[in-house]
Amino acid sequence: MDTGDVFDPNCPTRVVLDRIGDKWSVLVLLSLAHGPMRFTALRGRIGGVTPKVLTQTLRAMEADGLVTREVFAEVPPRVEYELTSLGRSLHEPISAVATWAEDHVTEILTHRAQSA
């Protein structure tokens, strides 16, 4: 298995960091951690994301192998999104970062206000 070098400007690892550093990707991953969700439920859970941006994020995550999209033959069609095993493997580190952010948001905002 090849590994990357995040400090090499030509390394594709940076593309991976872009994906997992994107706030919408992080919020999608955290939202899907407890099971599949429909688009509308996912959008409601995340809050503040436009349908266009959520669609783009889900497509990119699907292309990266983090999310699957399943269409059910119903009227109207039902579509559910779910984390793949690769996406689930990312949950623990992303969850740790999200918890850190929640635990330190007041401190960060205080520093920002002091430097403004």
Side-chain angles (χ1 to χ4, degrees), residues 11 18 42 60-61 67 78-79 91 93 99:
C11 182
D18 284 344
L42 191 54
M61 292 179 75
V67 168
R78 178 170 54 105
V79 179
H91 178 258
T99 299

Side-chain angles (χ1 to χ4, degrees), residues 61-81:
M61 292 179 75
E62 187 177 11
D64 289 346
L66 300 172
V67 168
T68 59
R69 177 180 185 268
E70 186 174 1
V71 180
F72 295 88
E74 300 174 358
V75 177
R78 178 170 54 105
V79 179
E80 288 186 346
Y81 296 90

